[in-house]
Amino acid sequence: MAIAVAALALLHLGAVGWQGYLDQRASAHNAQARLENIFPEDGAFPSLQRVQDRHAALQFLQQRNQWLTATLERIDQQTRPLPLKLTYLNVTGTQLTLHWQVDEDATSDGAELAKHLAALGEAKWQARPQRLSLHVALTQEVRS
């Protein structure tokens, strides 16, 4: 009888242990499923490649802004003594566009003003509205 009680006790402990193992396994599976719902693999978090692409884009923007600052300083030095009033400034990608209106009391020749700014970029004179335009590519060559 003692052997039967001991065998039943061992069988009971084995059944309880097995049930505990199954409960623990189900709990781990449920936790894994919840984590997968919280952190899906394909969309919620950027991949390493996307992070690297963003970093490269930010570095390019930082470089472009440095070129823009240097270019604007050079343009300011060239145009400050001229009888011009800045009316338009636009930066799109790596293109800088500026338009100036020539002061009414100025006796300067527009073509001469355009030649004066030609070293900075593509300068155009429009006689009818008395406007001088400058298009500059923001590249490393501009910086030098």
Side-chain angles (χ1 to χ4, degrees):
M1 180 103 154
I3 294 177
V5 170
L8 283 175
L10 285 175
L11 186 58
H12 177 69
L13 285 176
V16 168
W18 181 252
Q19 186 61 43
Y21 167 76
L22 291 177
D23 289 344
Q24 185 179 13
R25 186 172 171 199
S27 176
H29 179 68
N30 288 339
Q32 181 68 30
R34 280 181 284 168
L35 284 175
E36 287 174 0
N37 288 335
I38 292 173
F39 303 116
E41 288 181 24
D42 42 324
F45 290 102
S47 67
L48 179 60
Q49 182 62 45
R50 285 184 21 212
V51 169
Q52 289 172 339
D53 291 346
R54 287 179 185 165
H55 180 69
L58 287 173
Q59 284 181 325
F60 173 76
L61 286 175
Q62 181 182 19
Q63 184 66 52
R64 185 200 68 165
N65 288 343
Q66 289 174 355
W67 293 336
L68 179 61
T69 300
T71 302
L72 288 174
E73 286 174 4
R74 288 182 57 205
I75 291 171
D76 183 52
Q77 290 172 358
Q78 293 282 334
T79 60
R80 188 172 296 230
L82 300 176
L84 301 173
K85 178 182 174 187
L86 184 65
T87 59
Y88 179 80
L89 183 138
N90 183 34
V91 178
T92 306
T94 58
Q95 295 296 316
L96 169 64
T97 304
L98 301 122
H99 296 201
W100 291 273
Q101 191 71 34
V102 177
D103 288 344
E104 291 178 14
D105 58 338
T107 58
S108 298
D109 179 24
E112 284 298 318
L113 292 174
K115 285 180 185 177
H116 183 74
L117 296 180
L120 299 171
E122 182 184 338
K124 291 182 182 176
W125 170 249
Q126 295 175 331
R128 187 77 160 153
Q130 293 286 314
R131 185 174 73 187
L132 182 63
S133 299
L134 181 66
H135 299 280
V136 180
L138 299 173
T139 61
Q140 195 153 3
E141 292 84 33
V142 172
R143 230 178 106 200
S144 57

